[in-house]
Amino acid sequence: MAENTSIRRDDLIGATGSVTRQLEVIDAKEYNMGGCESVSIRVRQDNGEEYWTGLEDVDLDI
């Protein structure tokens, strides 16, 4: 049986990027904070995880 081995990839440590996931907006609230409007949305990812985020943090297909 072949043994699994791993090699450390130091060239990738500290790199930044983004992850694209499908999500559904399940709740949304608009706040007016001293003349500045902000929209918070609760989303459900395709893996079932739910969390609040800002509308500016996602690209919606609307």
Side-chain angles (χ1 to χ4, degrees):
M1 183 179 288
E3 185 177 321
N4 289 337
T5 60
S6 64
I7 299 171
R8 183 172 171 92
R9 292 287 308 268
D10 290 326
D11 59 318
L12 297 176
I13 306 301
T16 60
S18 62
V19 174
T20 302
R21 293 195 183 268
Q22 291 296 113
L23 55 84
E24 174 187 6
V25 177
I26 58 175
D27 198 359
K29 297 182 179 186
E30 183 173 312
Y31 300 93
N32 188 337
M33 296 180 284
C36 179
E37 292 180 356
S38 173
V39 177
S40 293
I41 57 174
R42 184 153 181 86
V43 297
R44 179 183 304 125
Q45 292 184 353
D46 53 357
N47 65 2
E49 183 179 350
E50 295 181 7
Y51 57 93
W52 284 95
T53 189
L55 185 58
E56 67 278 356
D57 294 330
V58 299
D59 292 321
L60 295 178
D61 300 329
I62 54 174

